[in-house]
C-alpha cells in the first residue's frame, strides 16, 4: 500500500469528522438561540402585565393596605388596573398553581401562572401563562421581609420561564430546556404615600 494515499485518507477523514462536529455544534447553537428568542418573547408578554399590575397596587383605593392575600406564590390586591376600563377598583390575583401542570408542552417543569382580573375594557377573567417558577417576597420600607399586609412597601417578584420543548440533551440523556429568569422589586407609589 502506498503510505501517501493512506495518510491522505486519514487526514481527510479527520478533517471530515471535524467539519461534521463543527456543523453539529452550529446547528445545536442555532436551535438554542431560536428557542431562547421564543422564550424571551413569551416572558415579555408576562412582564408587561406584571409591570402594569404591580405598579398600580392600591391605585384608586385610597388606602395604604390594599392587600387581600400575600403568600410566596399567591397575591391578591386591590387596584384600578387599567385607565378607561369599566371596572374601576377590583381584586387582581397572581397565583402560581403547582397543581396545574401544563400538558400542552413537553417540559415537565411547566405549571400555570394564573392572573385573575380585568383583561380588556369590558372583560374580567383568568389568563394563564406556562412558567417554571413564580415567587413573591414582601418587604417593609427598610427591606425587612414581612407577612403583615399593613407593613408591605416593596414587592420583589421572580419569574422563571423555560422553553416548551428541549433544545438538546445532556450527557446523561436528560432533556435540556432554555431558561430565562426575570427579577424585579416594585415600590408602588400608592402604598408608599404618607396617609
Amino acid at each position: 500500500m502506498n503510505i501517501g494515499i493512506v495518510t491522505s485518507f486519514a487526514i481527510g477523514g479527520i478533517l471530515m469528522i471535524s467539519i461534521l462536529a463543527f456543523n453539529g455544534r452550529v446547528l445545536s447553537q442555532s436551535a438554542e438561540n431560536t428557542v431562547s428568542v421564543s422564550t424571551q418573547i413569551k416572558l415579555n408578554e408576562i412582564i408587561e402585565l406584571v409591570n402594569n399590575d404591580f405598579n398600580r397596587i392600591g391605585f384608586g383605593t385610597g388606602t395604604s393596605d390594599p392587600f387581600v392575600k400575600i403568600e410566596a406564590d399567591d397575591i391578591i390586591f386591590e387596584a384600578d388596573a387599567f385607565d378607561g376600563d369599566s371596572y374601576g377598583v377590583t381584586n387582581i390575583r397572581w397565583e402560581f398553581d403547582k397543581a396545574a401542570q401544563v400538558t400542552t408542552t413537553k417540559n415537565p417543569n411547566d405549571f400555570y401562572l394564573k392572573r385573575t382580573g380585568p383583561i380588556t375594557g369590558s372583560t374580567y377573567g383568568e389568563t394563564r401563562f406556562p412558567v417554571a417558577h413564580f415567587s413573591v417576597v414582601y418587604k417593609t420600607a427598610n427591606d425587612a421581609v414581612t407577612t403583615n399586609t399593613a407593613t408591605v412597601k416593596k414587592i420583589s417578584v421572580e419569574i422563571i420561564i423555560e422553553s416548551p420543548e428541549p433544545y438538546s440533551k445532556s450527557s446523561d440523556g436528560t432533556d435540556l430546556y432554555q431558561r430565562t429568569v426575570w427579577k424585579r422589586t416594585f415600590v408602588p407609589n400608592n402604598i408608599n404615600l404618607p396617609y
Side-chain angles (χ1 to χ4, degrees):
M1 271 203 124
N2 186 342
I3 295 212
I5 293 175
V6 172
T7 304
S8 295
F9 275 114
I11 291 172
I14 291 170
L15 185 59
M16 180 66 78
I17 290 171
S18 297
I19 291 171
L20 290 174
F22 175 74
N23 189 34
R25 277 184 289 207
V26 167
L27 288 175
S28 176
Q29 186 66 40
S30 176
E32 186 177 352
N33 288 342
T34 301
V35 169
S36 175
V37 168
S38 173
T39 303
Q40 187 63 49
I41 289 170
K42 289 178 183 175
L43 180 61
N44 287 343
E45 292 172 9
I46 300 170
I47 290 170
E48 185 176 338
L49 202 47
V50 167
N51 279 332
N52 178 76
D53 287 355
F54 281 74
N55 280 318
R56 292 178 73 104
I57 290 175
F59 181 72
T61 63
T63 178
S64 62
D65 186 7
F67 298 101
V68 177
K69 182 178 188 180
I70 58 169
E71 294 181 2
D73 57 2
D74 192 0
I75 179 173
I76 303 173
F77 55 87
E78 296 174 333
D80 185 357
F82 300 109
D83 292 330
D85 67 3
S86 58
Y87 289 103
V89 175
T90 60
N91 281 350
I92 298 170
R93 181 179 193 180
W94 284 88
E95 174 193 16
F96 184 52
D97 190 353
K98 293 180 214 140
Q101 188 160 18
V102 178
T103 57
T104 57
T105 68
K106 249 183 116 174
N107 191 335
N109 303 322
D110 275 350
F111 295 91
Y112 281 112
L113 172 60
K114 300 175 182 177
R115 180 203 181 264
T116 307
I119 299 170
T120 62
S122 60
T123 307
Y124 188 95
E126 181 180 272
T127 309
R128 295 175 166 213
F129 305 98
V131 301
H133 174 78
F134 173 81
S135 68
V136 185
V137 177
Y138 309 92
K139 298 177 182 178
T140 64
N142 298 327
D143 285 330
V145 174
T146 184
T147 57
N148 180 352
T149 60
T151 61
V152 174
K153 299 298 180 189
K154 300 176 182 179
I155 302 108
S156 294
V157 179
E158 179 180 70
I159 299 172
I160 299 174
I161 187 170
E162 292 183 351
S163 61
E165 302 295 325
Y167 67 88
S168 187
K169 289 197 178 285
S170 67
S171 58
D172 65 357
T174 57
D175 289 333
L176 297 174
Y177 297 91
Q178 177 65 39
R179 176 178 278 198
T180 305
V181 179
W182 180 80
K183 289 173 124 178
R184 179 162 178 212
T185 298
F186 294 91
V187 185
N189 290 337
N190 300 295
I191 61 173
N192 286 286
L193 294 172
Y195 284 99

